Amino acid sequence: MNSAIILVDHGSRLPESNALLDEVALALTRRFPDRFTIVEPAHMDIAEPSIATAYNRCIARGASHLIICPYFLGPGKHWTSDIPRLAAAAQVHHPGTTYHVTATLGLDDLMLDLLAKRIGE
């Protein structure tokens, strides 16, 4: 099964904010080239690409299983309701594909390290 990653954030009217998710997707691919060969960004609202667009791009690149990773700190309506609904709607157009929505970033020792780093800057 060829898997792909869709990183999902909220989306913004600020182009630099949306561009950051593009950079994260590219950095993930570069850092883990053997694990993540197909990584696409997606935004919940306001900006493209949408989850449907990213899903289509992943399928066009040869994926059959999509791992949808919310780029959110904590669980909320987007994670519990919106992302699963939008992913299911995208899957309808690609019979035979599967998807899984991961947990949000949440609390992790690495997040604490990052917070300490930012505080120290």
Side-chain angles (χ1 to χ4, degrees):
M1 178 182 331
N2 196 10
S3 296
I5 310 298
I6 297 177
L7 295 177
V8 182
D9 72 1
H10 189 272
S12 175
R13 287 182 175 79
L14 298 175
E16 58 270 23
S17 180
N18 296 324
L20 177 62
L21 191 65
D22 295 340
E23 292 174 29
V24 171
L26 184 59
L28 187 64
T29 303
R30 286 182 176 160
R31 178 126 182 223
F32 303 101
D34 296 333
R35 291 180 62 194
F36 309 122
T37 57
I38 302 172
V39 180
E40 291 287 340
H43 308 288
M44 288 293 311
D45 299 311
I46 302 169
E48 277 290 327
S50 64
I51 289 175
T53 299
Y55 203 107
N56 292 338
R57 288 177 179 172
C58 290
I59 299 306
R61 294 177 66 187
S64 58
H65 178 70
L66 291 89
I67 301 165
I68 302 170
C69 184
Y71 198 65
F72 294 102
L73 289 178
K77 183 176 177 273
H78 285 322
W79 180 66
T80 60
S81 177
D82 298 334
I83 292 173
R85 175 180 49 80
L86 292 168
Q91 182 191 34
V92 167
H93 302 288
H94 302 283
T97 65
T98 58
Y99 70 89
H100 169 78
V101 179
T102 71
T104 57
L105 297 175
L107 179 60
D108 186 283
D109 284 343
L110 293 173
M111 294 297 283
L112 299 176
D113 292 342
L114 178 58
L115 280 170
K117 178 181 176 182
R118 292 293 180 253
I119 292 165
E121 290 176 347

